[in-house]
Amino acid sequence: MNAAYLIVALPITGALILLFGGRRIGDPLSGWLATIAAGGSFVGSVIVWASLLGRSGADRTVDKQIFTWIPVGSLHVDFALQLDPLSIAMVLFVTGVGSLIHLYSIGYMKGDRSYPRFFFLLNLFLFSMIVLVLADSYLFSFVGWEGVGFCSYGLVGFWFDRETAAVAAKKAFVTNRVGDFGFMVALFLMFGHFGSFSYSAVLGPLASGHSTLAGATATGIGLMLFLGAVGKSAQIPLYMWLPDAMEGPTPVSALIHAATMVTAGVYLVARSAPILHYSHAVLWVIAIVGATTALLAATIACAQNDIKRVLAYSTISQLGYMFLGEGSGDYTAGLFHMITHAFFKALLFLAAGSVIHALNDEQDMKKMGGLRKYLPITFPTFIIGYLALSGIPPFDGFWSKDAILDSAWHMSPALWAVGAVTAGLTAYYMSRQVALVWLGQARWTSDGHEGGGGHGGHGGGEPHESPWVMTAPLVILAFCATFGWLLNAPFGGLDFVNKWLAPVFPSTIDPAVHVGTGTKWVLGIAVTAICFLGLGLGLTAWRKVDRPALEPAVLVHGWYIDEAVSAAVSGPLTRMASAFSFMIDARVVDGAVNGLARFTSGTGRQLRRMQTGYVRNYALGIGIGTAVILAFVATRVGS
Amino acid sequence: MYAGFLASAASSGTDLANASAWAVFLVGAAMILTGAFGVILLRNPVHCALMLVITLFGIALEFIDQSADFLAAVQIIVYAGAIVILFLFVIMFLGVDRREAAGPEATKFQKPIALILGAVSLVEILILSQVDHWVSGAPSVAGRLDGPGENVQKLGQSIYTRYLLPFEMTAALLVIAVVAAVVLSRRQQPGASELRAADKEKLVVGPGGAE
Amino acid sequence: MTVPGAWYLVLAAVLFGLGATGLLIRRNVLVMFMCVELMLNAVNLTFVTFARLLDDVGGQVSVLFVLVVAAAEVVVGLAIIVAMFRRRAAATADDIHVLRG
């Protein structure tokens, strides 16, 4: 159990060492240090998991107190870790995928000027993420929540000398702040209602059915928590930052903007299941927002040309899936999809990174093609990720997507229909990507991009396979993407994730979703058929490269939502802000401050006359004081 | 009080002792007040210092009157013999033994307010003196004063037992004061480091400097 | 030995007041110093008086300490005056008001 401290301590130690000694440690070594810290954290998670496995389901919740953080009156917030099935499941895949991406980054970031800074931020991110999932209270989770937000900012803007990267980082941060506002309001409501932030105090009685919650309160807290989740997990209406976040290095996209940080919202919603149970409105909101986001992002992904932006929109879409599952009341399905998604989406991102690396930082899919011959390891792993994401059995995505769609059907057939269409679109746009990147004719020139990009060290020439530190994670993730579904296979008693998470979602708050076996078969076959349809369409349609009919401008521009928001913000909102700055800030606020300053200095100018510099004047002052005190004593004692 | 004093003067032995105590007190008080007024009124600092001596002798008289014999002796030796001499020495040394510079007061209100203040304080103190329960402390905390034995002996015993630490600290205080006086009154000489710099210059520039 | 303690206390108070007034009205630093001595002596007188009234040797011991402190104070004070006079031929306390606000 004490290995839990190790999980937390190793990444922060690594981060601190890299912060203060990174430059001295130098190029490959600091990367290895960070990777070892992450790997050690993973080992610690496995140990904790194993020791939890040795306990019965009921007491698999262990609190590890580190120290008391805020002891104010009745409010008592600790720096404490809560080890329970949910947090351990989260921390296992966070540290596992995180370690692989650390390893990959050693190769990917080779030769970068700020190599140690990258790994410092990566380790700090891992630490924050671990704090976020292991914390025993909402408030402590919020610390990690903000920490990952900061690291995301630092890593998206890692190449801050590029204007686009700096802008994207700012955008990601500001958009996240909107979500954080929701989280904070939820915290306030929670404190007002429960007087505590800790998971055990707030959620424990609700989960065990010992207390109930008024519907309005549950709706308020639930909606605000979901607003936080929306910001962090890039759902409508706060999703615009994620595609732009692709300005960061590719491992960052894989780690933060596909596998871990963006799933924090999913985790938060799952964690708050006992509260959501008391408000069906919130569950509906979550399901609808998730389904809408899934469909919207999938349509946009169909018309993107940047290899990473396609994956980014795909991530948004898949996150929508997770929320659809959670909103439908099947938290386990949502979490299971989160895990499988972490495998195959990290795989796709890392493979895309390998492609970008091979082509000297070319990201436009229209300038790729025919790469399958040149990248013999990246190609098959990418195909595995592609099939898994497209929902082709027997790869991961099929099973987790199927579970979500089943529960969506249970909630409402309309939600299922949206999910099914999204599945078809997913297969379509991924086929498009595969066709453009790997198949067809080579559209790149072997000497076109010599010396370009942030990591030199290799000139032009033919595209070449990446070093082993980059391909090894690909192979491991491909393996996980192929066989990861065995963690939760819906037959033969193999549903380990369901059983493992059962104590966290007792039937009192999470009634099992019952869909008949026959219906399940029909739904599964229908969705698979749609997926194959999308697959076939995508692969045949994109044998040619130019198909303007299939790339309408409205999709290329993402339904113009980004532009609309920008116009709204830069137009009336900016005018309003400047008006406020002139009227309120310049007159009232500054006036008050300046007036105070003028009052102070004026008073001082008058009072300085008292400071004559003559010692005898000062003595006179003392004498007057003495006389006054004597007079006081005389009136008191004399009577 | 004079009436009482005169009335009880010739009655008996104790009355005689009583009368002598009153006499000593009154003489002492007269000396003290004369000296004090002299100090604050006379223009010449030398005269002031001499008036201070009178006050100090008066205080010593009052000490004797209250059977603080040793303190009376110390008062005369230390104050009149050392401190006032020091004052006079400084006055002579600085050559300020003339009338105070009669320039206008820097702040006009200083003198009148000071006088009013003195008068007010005096009145207040006299009012307070009407209160008769001033002596409210526990008696003989640090040792009896009246018992058998000499005043010096009791004082010495007290200092070297109960008040040993403060006594040692006064020694340290005196040493510090001596050092401070030496440092303060040292004449400012051209800095040693400057001299050294000049020497260096000479060494470098001068022809045929010592090798 | 029957002069009531209150008489001594009043005498000391008057002496103290005279000293304080002198400190306030005189401008010669040396004389101001002498006034401080007057005040110290007033305090000494009260100490001795209370020692007698309370039959306590502590009061007289305190006088001894006051004497020492007074001596030290005079030594340092006079040294300061000497240093002061050396820098500028200032005879009065009012000539030094560098700390004017």
Side-chain angles (χ1 to χ4, degrees):
Chain A
M1 270 314 129
N2 286 330
Y5 297 124
L6 212 63
I7 306 176
V8 184
L10 278 175
I12 189 66
T13 313
L16 288 177
I17 292 174
L18 288 174
L19 174 61
F20 292 111
R23 290 214 172 275
R24 203 161 300 166
I25 296 172
D27 196 323
L29 214 59
S30 51
W32 282 108
L33 183 81
T35 309
I36 289 167
S41 194
F42 177 63
V43 171
S45 322
V46 171
I47 294 170
V48 172
W49 172 67
S51 53
L52 278 187
L53 213 56
R55 302 183 171 211
S56 67
D59 47 51
R60 275 182 186 160
T61 302
V62 179
D63 263 321
K64 280 284 177 193
Q65 162 103 13
I66 299 175
F67 63 89
T68 301
W69 178 25
I70 305 176
V72 186
S74 62
L75 178 61
H76 218 79
V77 184
D78 291 337
F79 264 52
L81 309 177
Q82 175 172 331
L83 313 172
D84 69 349
L86 177 56
S87 64
I88 287 303
M90 288 293 296
V91 90
L92 268 176
F93 98 83
V94 165
T95 55
V97 175
S99 309
L100 290 177
I101 293 170
H102 272 75
L103 183 65
Y104 177 90
S105 309
I106 295 175
Y108 190 86
M109 298 305 290
K110 189 165 173 297
D112 195 279
R113 267 185 299 128
S114 312
Y115 193 84
R117 177 162 61 92
F118 181 81
F119 282 97
F120 155 67
L121 283 169
L122 223 52
N123 255 358
L124 188 64
F125 167 78
L126 201 62
F127 166 73
S128 309
M129 192 68 203
I130 290 168
V131 165
L132 166 55
V133 297
L134 279 187
D136 85 321
S137 68
Y138 278 103
L139 199 59
F140 192 24
S141 273
F142 191 61
V143 173
W145 184 272
E146 292 295 322
V148 293
F150 164 73
C151 294
S152 162
Y153 169 78
L155 284 165
V156 169
F158 182 70
W159 291 312
F160 51 80
D161 39 6
R162 291 186 199 162
E163 168 123 33
T164 47
V167 170
K170 238 182 289 174
K171 187 173 180 180
F173 198 72
V174 170
T175 315
N176 264 304
R177 298 306 307 173
V178 178
D180 295 345
F181 157 77
F183 196 149
M184 281 193 272
V185 172
L187 286 177
F188 302 153
L189 285 174
M190 212 176 281
F191 181 64
H193 194 264
F194 300 102
S196 169
F197 294 118
S198 85
Y199 290 140
S200 52
V202 173
L203 303 175
L206 295 175
S208 58
H210 286 313
S211 72
T212 58
L213 194 59
T217 317
T219 307
I221 297 178
L223 275 181
M224 285 299 129
L225 281 175
F226 183 57
L227 179 57
V230 161
K232 200 56 96 189
S233 297
Q235 298 293 293
I236 291 174
L238 300 176
Y239 68 90
M240 286 89 71
W241 65 270
L242 188 55
D244 288 7
M246 295 302 132
E247 285 292 338
T250 307
V252 172
S253 310
L255 175 64
I256 300 184
H257 306 116
T260 54
M261 185 188 87
V262 289
T263 61
V266 181
Y267 166 77
L268 185 71
V269 169
R271 176 59 88 190
S272 311
I275 295 177
L276 303 180
H277 171 65
Y278 292 94
S279 173
H280 278 275
V282 176
L283 288 178
W284 270 103
V285 167
I286 294 174
I288 291 171
V289 167
T292 321
T293 311
L295 185 61
L296 182 91
T299 57
I300 299 174
C302 292
Q304 299 298 317
N305 284 330
D306 186 318
I307 186 171
K308 283 173 71 183
R309 282 181 90 86
V310 173
L311 294 174
Y313 278 110
S314 165
T315 303
I316 299 175
S317 172
Q318 297 301 310
L319 289 165
Y321 255 108
M322 296 170 207
F323 282 113
L324 173 60
E326 292 191 327
S328 306
D330 196 348
Y331 298 102
T332 317
L335 292 170
F336 180 46
H337 192 57
M338 177 173 80
I339 294 169
T340 58
H341 174 258
F343 291 150
F344 60 69
K345 189 52 70 59
L347 168 60
L348 285 172
F349 263 116
L350 295 186
S354 183
V355 170
I356 295 167
H357 197 69
L359 290 177
N360 290 331
D361 294 338
E362 179 57 62
Q363 300 199 5
D364 189 347
M365 294 197 297
K366 291 285 169 71
K367 292 182 182 161
M368 296 180 183
L371 282 172
R372 64 185 180 283
K373 290 190 284 273
Y374 298 99
L375 304 175
I377 301 173
T378 311
F379 174 61
T381 53
F382 191 94
I383 292 298
I384 290 174
Y386 152 62
L387 293 175
L389 174 56
S390 303
I392 304 300
F395 296 98
D396 278 5
F398 168 74
W399 304 97
S400 51
K401 194 176 283 190
D402 205 41
I404 287 176
L405 287 176
D406 283 348
S407 45
W409 175 267
H410 178 77
M411 189 88 164
S412 156
L415 290 176
W416 178 85
V418 173
V421 171
T422 307
L425 283 173
T426 308
Y428 164 75
Y429 66 69
M430 283 311 294
S431 304
R432 172 177 177 266
Q433 186 170 42
V434 167
L436 286 177
V437 173
W438 301 100
L439 310 177
Q441 295 300 312
R443 292 179 300 278
W444 38 268
T445 46
S446 52
D447 52 0
H449 302 280
E450 220 159 328
H455 42 87
H458 50 82
E462 302 230 309
H464 51 90
E465 188 54 278
S466 308
W468 72 268
V469 287
M470 290 169 69
T471 52
L474 289 179
V475 173
I476 296 170
L477 284 171
F479 178 82
C480 293
T482 314
F483 298 105
W485 59 278
L486 288 171
L487 291 173
N488 203 24
F491 53 78
L494 289 174
D495 50 344
F496 299 112
V497 176
N498 271 341
K499 286 181 197 157
W500 175 251
L501 291 178
V504 186
F505 305 114
S507 53
T508 45
I509 57 149
D510 185 25
V513 175
H514 283 300
V515 182
T517 318
T519 324
K520 272 190 182 174
W521 275 99
V522 174
L523 294 178
I525 289 170
V527 171
T528 312
I530 295 173
C531 289
F532 271 111
L533 189 68
L535 207 71
L537 267 176
L539 285 178
T540 48
W542 289 95
R543 290 220 190 106
K544 274 176 66 185
V545 178
D546 271 331
R547 283 200 176 273
L550 290 176
E551 290 178 349
V554 67
L555 293 186
V556 174
H557 288 274
W559 297 99
Y560 292 107
I561 293 172
D562 215 1
E563 281 88 343
V565 171
S566 305
V569 169
S570 64
L573 222 63
T574 308
R575 271 202 297 282
M576 195 177 84
S578 61
F580 267 119
S581 86
F582 182 70
M583 290 190 306
I584 308 282
D585 193 57
R587 299 246 175 100
V588 180
V589 178
D590 286 5
V593 173
N594 289 342
L596 208 64
R598 218 169 298 139
F599 171 75
T600 312
S601 61
T603 315
R605 209 168 299 129
Q606 296 306 314
L607 283 179
R608 66 182 283 193
R609 291 190 192 174
M610 288 177 64
Q611 298 295 323
T612 54
Y614 296 114
V615 184
R616 291 161 64 233
N617 286 160
Y618 303 154
L620 188 65
I622 297 175
I624 291 171
T626 315
V628 169
I629 292 174
L630 274 177
F632 175 77
V633 176
T635 54
R636 280 306 158 97
V637 175
S639 59
Chain B
M1 59 180 176
Y2 262 84
F5 164 57
L6 290 175
S8 59
S11 49
S12 66
T14 49
D15 283 347
L16 196 65
N18 197 1
S20 67
W22 271 105
V24 172
F25 171 77
L26 290 174
V27 172
M31 287 172 74
I32 288 172
L33 292 180
T34 314
F37 275 109
V39 168
I40 68 171
L41 291 180
L42 291 179
R43 287 293 169 90
N44 193 324
V46 179
H47 297 170
C48 290
L50 295 175
M51 285 310 218
L52 183 61
V53 175
I54 295 180
T55 300
L56 296 176
F57 269 101
I59 296 278
L61 267 186
E62 304 294 4
F63 282 1
I64 289 169
D65 200 21
Q66 304 194 67
S67 64
D69 310 334
F70 176 68
L71 287 181
V74 170
Q75 174 86 4
I76 288 170
I77 294 169
V78 172
Y79 260 117
I83 292 182
V84 175
I85 296 299
L86 202 56
F87 268 112
L88 284 171
F89 171 73
V90 170
I91 291 167
M92 300 300 182
F93 176 70
L94 295 174
V96 288
D97 52 338
R98 45 191 137 68
R99 295 160 65 97
E100 210 165 90
E105 276 271 3
T107 44
K108 290 193 186 77
F109 55 85
Q110 173 84 21
K111 198 172 256 180
I113 289 188
L115 288 172
I116 294 169
L117 205 64
V120 167
S121 304
L122 197 62
V123 171
E124 282 167 351
I125 290 170
L126 289 177
I127 291 172
L128 281 174
S129 71
Q130 296 304 306
V131 182
D132 53 359
H133 50 79
W134 282 113
V135 186
S136 54
S140 307
V141 175
R144 290 204 48 156
L145 194 60
D146 272 352
E150 293 300 313
N151 176 248
V152 185
Q153 182 197 349
K154 278 179 276 195
L155 214 53
Q157 225 155 26
S158 191
I159 284 175
Y160 288 106
T161 55
R162 190 183 172 94
Y163 295 101
L164 184 62
L165 188 63
F167 179 71
E168 299 289 349
M169 279 159 70
T170 56
L173 183 73
L174 283 173
V175 173
I176 292 168
V178 167
V179 174
V182 170
V183 170
L184 280 169
S185 56
R186 198 173 45 130
R187 197 176 286 277
Q188 289 285 316
Q189 290 166 342
S193 58
E194 282 172 47
L195 275 176
R196 218 174 295 144
D199 288 346
K200 269 183 201 159
E201 212 171 331
K202 222 179 282 173
L203 277 176
V204 174
V205 176
E211 191 59 69
Chain C
M1 310 250 175
T2 50
V3 181
W7 285 94
Y8 291 99
L9 293 180
V10 170
L11 177 64
V14 173
L15 180 58
F16 190 88
L18 285 173
T21 313
L23 186 72
L24 292 179
I25 61 173
R26 294 304 295 259
R27 278 186 281 176
N28 189 320
V29 260
L30 285 160
V31 180
M32 286 168 74
F33 239 109
M34 293 177 203
C35 293
V36 172
E37 298 304 323
L38 289 183
M39 292 160 77
L40 280 171
N41 275 290
V43 172
N44 277 353
L45 186 54
T46 56
F47 265 128
V48 170
T49 307
F50 279 120
R52 177 171 72 98
L53 295 178
L54 283 174
D55 186 19
D56 195 332
V57 80
Q60 296 201 0
V61 175
S62 299
V63 173
L64 210 62
F65 290 137
V66 172
L67 276 174
V68 175
V69 173
E73 173 234 339
V74 164
V75 166
V76 177
L78 288 178
I80 290 175
I81 290 170
V82 168
M84 209 167 77
F85 268 83
R86 189 169 285 145
R87 279 184 190 263
R88 50 165 77 197
T92 76
D94 284 1
D95 290 339
I96 298 155
H97 51 273
V98 190
L99 281 178
R100 184 187 203 112

